[in-house]
Amino acid sequence: MQQHVIASSSTNARLRARDLTAEEIAEIEHELTLYPTKQAVGLEALKIVQRHQGWVSDESMLAIADYLSVPVSELEGVATFFNLIFRRPVGDKVILFCDSVSCWIMGCDKVKKRLSEHLGIDYGETSAGGEYTLIPVPCLGDCDKAPVMMVGEKMHRNLSCESIDSLLPLSNAEGSK
Amino acid sequence: MTDRPLTKNIDLSRGALSLKEYVAAGGYAGARAIANGLEPSDVLERVKNSGLKGRGGAGFPTGLKWSFVPKSDDVSIQRYLVVNADEMEPGTFKDRMLMEGDPHLLIEGMIIAAYTIQATRAFIFLRGEYFDAERSIAKAIAEARDSGYLGRDIFGTGFDFDIVLHTSAGRYICGEETALLNALEGKRANPRAKPPFPQVSGLWGKPTIVNNVETLCNLPGILAYGVEWYQSLGSGGDFGTKLFGVSGRVNTPGCWELPFGVSIREVIEGYGGGMQEGYALKAFLPGGGSTDFLTPEHLDTPLTYTAIGELGSRLATGTMILLDDKTCPVGMIGNLMKFFAHESCGFCTPCRDGLPWVDTIFRDLESGKGSFKDIDVLKDHVGYLGPGRTFCALAPGATAPLGSGLRLFADEFAAHVSGAKCPYH
């Protein structure tokens, strides 16, 4: 197996791959049965690790690259290409807030402002307690119920400032994803 | 027989039909027609004769696309069917309904398509954010496998076929079919050069057909009820039904299955319930974010690929986005440009550098820092980013609302400069 090592510019420390967990390996192995090449499983493996770890750290990135025998640079190229692979830690729940055209016409900017006030964060930030990360997302494909957003895996539709007021305590009570 | 072959089983107030319920409702009759002796060439002929066109946006004839797969009796040559379920066009919300509402219709359509091109394996490339569709499809695939509708020797035809459900992680360019294939191979999803076309050299270099969800959902009806029935559904040169949607300030926004040839007015004022009180229709994009604006004078145009094309726009996804008189057109176009700039894959220069430039100018116009020269730069970009100037269709798609918007809303653009602010707020 290749041993990839990358240098961190900030500390000059040499990072090493962490060990993938048995669960992660089992899920990646299942994906490997579905595709004819190891490379094809790259995105699936990133998603599997993210599901277990919350995000994809450098150490995880190295571990996946090793496991799939693909160059870490190529895997990083895939990871950074996709909007929903997180290379920084995120909150327990990620809020994907649709800011595309139909939601914009239906007043999503006001709703987003209220949401930001509630959480004390803007796009790309995580709330102080680590509960929520707020990210804009291109059209969520629910335009007849605009404005919409997704909290974890759940869609919230026909949003208004009032519905944000009533939704947020509710989501707090739901706990983590 | 039905006049709503795509949505007859869909009732969003309950879950999707199980396999058993779907079969009880007449489902898998198209697939059984294959079992009763239809050859792949027979199916291809029927689909060609039906006049079915791709519903992903481009409107390319489906049978013709399939016919480009090289003919060969050598079954050892792997061929692939890929379902483009990466619905992400701004203002488009049709495939979600089909996948959440009736996943077995999609699977049946896939069986028909795969049998025709003799593809033993299919991948559904599903948008990562569509968790409800993922659950719905995964359940349906498991049911179909358990019942022997997928797997070895399906329907006693001797044909083996199975489906892999792949979920993406959010990137609009994956809707471009060659970018989608790169993504499936685990690469960065930059589009590929064409030729070779995927039908000849696609996924892992093998002959591959990429079809949109709605396109495939048309197939079961064509086989079950016949070409004549299918053609009786549409008018104006396009056949069958289409999902048409309306979003924006109408009373009852939604998505409905209607025959081709229905007028725009009927969809917006009838099904959509007309504009909300206090709002008037100013303009609309007829088929998602990559289409040219049309105006109220076009309301009596029939919704067909040809009629909308003759107006200089495109039917594309058939989901209309309405601009009302209280919403700033410059802001609306700016919103679209932000989307296209963000979703550019960055491979070719005009798109990678041009769209962010356009986006920046719209931000300047909004904040009152724009100049008349900026508006000229926008006009220049309609040419720089237009068809033939870029590697794929993403940037040309962006120029559709940009170019038509600059023409239609010249006064509003100028007002943003002369008033040094957005006149709408």
Side-chain angles (χ1 to χ4, degrees):
Chain A
M1 189 182 285
Q2 295 166 266
Q3 267 301 324
H4 287 294
V5 176
I6 56 176
S8 158
S9 56
S10 56
T11 63
N12 212 20
R14 289 164 75 80
L15 291 173
R16 291 201 172 273
R18 71 173 178 84
D19 291 329
L20 295 172
T21 66
E23 273 176 308
E24 288 168 338
I25 288 172
E27 288 177 38
I28 293 170
E29 281 295 325
H30 171 69
E31 292 298 326
L32 284 168
T33 65
L34 305 177
Y35 297 83
T37 70
K38 283 186 171 184
Q39 183 184 21
V41 175
L43 179 61
E44 302 284 2
L46 289 163
K47 289 177 74 169
I48 288 166
V49 165
Q50 181 164 290
R51 205 153 50 231
H52 287 283
Q53 311 294 329
W55 65 297
V56 180
S57 66
D58 288 349
E59 291 83 354
S60 292
M61 180 68 71
L62 290 165
I64 300 167
D66 277 347
Y67 196 83
L68 297 178
S69 307
V70 296
V72 69
S73 54
E74 280 190 25
L75 190 66
E76 180 77 295
V78 171
T80 54
F81 192 85
F82 287 96
N83 296 332
L84 299 179
I85 297 298
F86 306 130
R87 290 288 277 117
R88 285 193 289 165
V90 291
D92 297 337
K93 281 191 181 180
V94 173
I95 301 180
L96 298 177
F97 192 88
C98 180
D99 66 350
S100 282
V101 64
S102 299
C103 285
W104 181 82
I105 288 171
M106 297 306 286
C108 74
D109 282 355
K110 276 185 200 159
V111 178
K112 188 259 165 184
K113 192 162 169 279
R114 181 70 69 103
L115 183 62
S116 275
E117 285 166 6
H118 264 279
L119 299 172
I121 52 173
D122 205 342
Y123 285 141
E125 297 176 345
T126 299
S127 59
E131 277 182 296
Y132 296 104
T133 298
L134 181 61
I135 297 174
V137 70
C139 187
L140 279 172
D142 235 341
C143 318
D144 53 341
K145 302 171 192 79
V148 300
M149 67 176 180
M150 208 154 114
V151 182
E153 295 187 359
K154 189 173 170 11
M155 286 296 299
H156 294 275
R157 304 175 164 106
N158 295 309
L159 295 174
S160 62
C161 291
E162 293 71 36
S163 67
I164 292 292
D165 293 344
S166 57
L167 205 68
L168 268 182
L170 189 77
S171 300
N172 274 322
E174 280 172 11
S176 71
K177 65 188 168 186
Chain B
M1 300 273 186
T2 169
D3 58 359
R4 291 197 300 119
L6 304 176
T7 57
K8 66 186 168 72
N9 295 328
I10 296 181
D11 175 356
L12 295 176
S13 66
R14 56 154 168 77
L17 295 187
S18 67
L19 184 136
K20 209 173 148 192
E21 292 164 333
Y22 180 78
V23 169
Y28 286 105
R32 268 192 292 274
I34 287 173
N36 290 335
L38 276 186
E39 293 294 321
S41 56
D42 299 331
V43 186
L44 178 63
E45 209 51 33
R46 286 192 195 191
V47 173
K48 270 188 179 170
N49 291 340
S50 74
L52 172 64
K53 293 177 186 170
R55 306 291 200 243
F60 193 80
T62 304
L64 187 60
K65 190 182 211 181
W66 290 0
S67 70
F68 296 144
V69 174
K71 287 195 181 41
S72 168
D73 294 331
D74 186 353
V75 289
S76 69
I77 297 174
Q78 178 71 58
R79 299 176 186 81
Y80 291 110
L81 172 70
V82 174
V83 182
N84 188 342
D86 197 42
E87 181 165 76
M88 213 164 162
E89 180 73 26
T92 298
F93 51 105
K94 62 180 188 71
D95 295 338
R96 172 197 279 276
M97 180 165 91
L98 293 170
M99 292 187 286
E100 291 179 6
D102 200 12
H104 281 292
L105 184 69
L106 174 62
I107 293 175
E108 185 181 356
M110 290 176 70
I111 289 171
I112 295 165
Y115 175 75
T116 311
I117 61 164
Q118 293 287 294
T120 53
R121 177 149 286 216
F123 292 88
I124 300 176
F125 191 94
L126 177 65
R127 184 166 181 193
E129 295 92 332
Y130 276 17
F131 291 105
D132 293 333
E134 181 185 353
R135 282 184 277 268
S136 163
I137 292 172
K139 177 168 174 272
I141 290 175
E143 285 178 332
R145 224 173 257 149
D146 286 347
S147 306
Y149 288 21
L150 294 175
R152 295 214 164 273
D153 185 23
I154 59 169
F155 295 94
T157 52
F159 178 61
D160 301 338
F161 177 59
D162 212 338
I163 298 173
V164 175
L165 176 57
H166 173 95
T167 60
S168 187
R171 203 68 202 262
Y172 172 67
I173 192 62
C174 294
E176 200 280 344
E177 66 177 10
T178 60
L180 187 157
L181 296 177
N182 275 340
L184 265 180
E185 292 183 9
K187 299 170 183 163
R188 271 178 92 87
N190 296 326
R192 297 176 179 175
K194 291 191 273 193
F197 289 90
Q199 294 92 322
V200 177
S201 177
L203 197 56
W204 295 292
K206 307 295 185 194
T208 304
I209 287 290
V210 184
N211 281 145
N212 166 262
V213 171
E214 188 186 348
T215 309
L216 291 163
C217 287
N218 273 268
L219 300 171
I222 292 173
L223 283 207
Y225 307 126
V227 169
E228 209 169 297
W229 160 85
Y230 189 75
Q231 300 210 329
S232 74
L233 290 177
S235 64
D238 283 315
F239 304 115
T241 57
K242 168 94 192 71
L243 295 179
F244 291 108
V246 177
S247 66
R249 298 257 175 216
V250 286
N251 285 305
T252 52
C255 184
W256 310 276
E257 180 184 4
L258 301 168
F260 277 106
V262 63
S263 76
I264 299 171
R265 185 186 300 281
E266 215 176 321
V267 178
I268 294 177
E269 296 180 1
Y271 294 91
M275 297 303 285
Q276 292 175 8
E277 202 180 327
Y279 294 92
L281 180 65
K282 190 179 179 80
F284 58 96
L285 302 174
S290 304
T291 57
D292 287 69
F293 278 101
L294 297 178
T295 59
E297 66 176 301
H298 302 125
L299 279 176
D300 292 309
T301 309
L303 282 161
T304 62
Y305 290 99
T306 313
I308 302 296
E310 281 170 355
L311 298 179
S313 188
R314 293 188 308 126
L315 184 74
T317 63
T319 41
M320 299 175 229
I321 309 164
L322 307 195
L323 170 67
D324 58 77
D325 61 339
K326 304 287 194 295
T327 300
C328 176
V330 177
M332 176 180 173
I333 301 164
N335 178 284
L336 289 164
M337 295 307 116
K338 181 184 67 173
F339 165 83
F340 286 112
H342 186 260
E343 294 301 319
S344 168
C345 82
F347 178 79
C348 73
T349 306
C351 183
R352 179 188 62 241
D353 290 354
L355 285 171
W357 190 356
V358 167
D359 178 34
T360 303
I361 289 176
F362 273 93
R363 287 168 200 255
D364 286 347
L365 287 170
E366 176 66 27
S367 61
K369 289 187 291 186
S371 66
F372 285 106
K373 186 166 174 291
D374 284 334
I375 298 176
D376 290 335
V377 174
L378 290 181
K379 288 176 185 164
D380 289 342
H381 274 83
V382 175
Y384 296 155
L385 301 175
R389 300 292 183 89
T390 57
F391 199 65
C392 81
L394 185 143
T399 64
L402 178 63
S404 58
L406 282 163
R407 282 194 305 276
L408 277 173
F409 309 119
D411 293 348
E412 279 91 345
F413 274 93
H416 279 73
V417 177
S418 54
K421 72 179 193 62
C422 172
Y424 283 78
H425 50 73

